[in-house]
Amino acid sequence: MNTDYRSRWDAVGILASFACAIHCVLLPLVFTTLTLFGIEFLENVYLEILTILVSMTAGSWALIKGYRKHANKMLIILFVTGLGCMITGNLLPAQSAEIICKLAGSLLIIVAHLKNVRQCRHK
């Protein structure tokens, strides 16, 4: 499997994590405005689950393929910790704690993907 193909999966993982981060930051800021217009699809547990599943699927695929090449366990640890933070954020009752957890998780996943791309290109 060529590096470009793996990089595409990392890009999908980064995009999904970034979308989650944007969702977590913007939702509290614009939610009251959107509800005035009847737009409530962003406050949807299924959208949250879908975002996490896409991040988990794309990320796992890209990182497993990259791991076979560079064998850096730290990237797997970053990724799993990031997913754990995102999932934990959904379980927290306080909105500020939820946002912090989800943002931290998204950033950890993005860092894992970026490092994976870099290490796959250098090996």
Side-chain angles (χ1 to χ4, degrees), residues 106-117:
S106 295
L107 290 174
L108 287 171
I109 291 171
I110 290 169
V111 168
H113 282 297
L114 292 174
K115 288 181 177 270
N116 189 49
V117 169

Side-chain angles (χ1 to χ4, degrees), residues 28-100:
L29 299 175
V30 297
F31 182 67
T32 55
T33 305
L34 292 176
T35 56
L36 293 174
F37 299 107
I39 301 172
E40 297 178 3
F41 72 93
L42 290 175
E43 182 67 23
N44 186 331
V45 72
Y46 298 113
L47 180 62
E48 306 248 350
I49 292 170
L50 178 65
T51 304
I52 291 172
L53 287 175
V54 169
S55 294
M56 185 171 33
T57 303
S60 296
W61 182 261
L63 289 171
I64 288 170
K65 296 296 182 183
Y67 181 79
R68 290 180 183 159
K69 189 171 187 177
H70 55 67
N72 187 343
K73 291 179 184 176
M74 182 53 94
L75 302 183
I76 304 296
I77 292 169
L78 283 171
F79 178 72
V80 170
T81 303
L83 279 176
C85 287
M86 289 175 66
I87 292 167
T88 300
N90 281 323
L91 304 174
L92 295 174
Q95 186 176 15
S96 59
E98 175 186 359
I99 292 170
I100 290 168

Side-chain angles (χ1 to χ4, degrees), residues 3 7 65:
T3 303
S7 295
K65 296 296 182 183

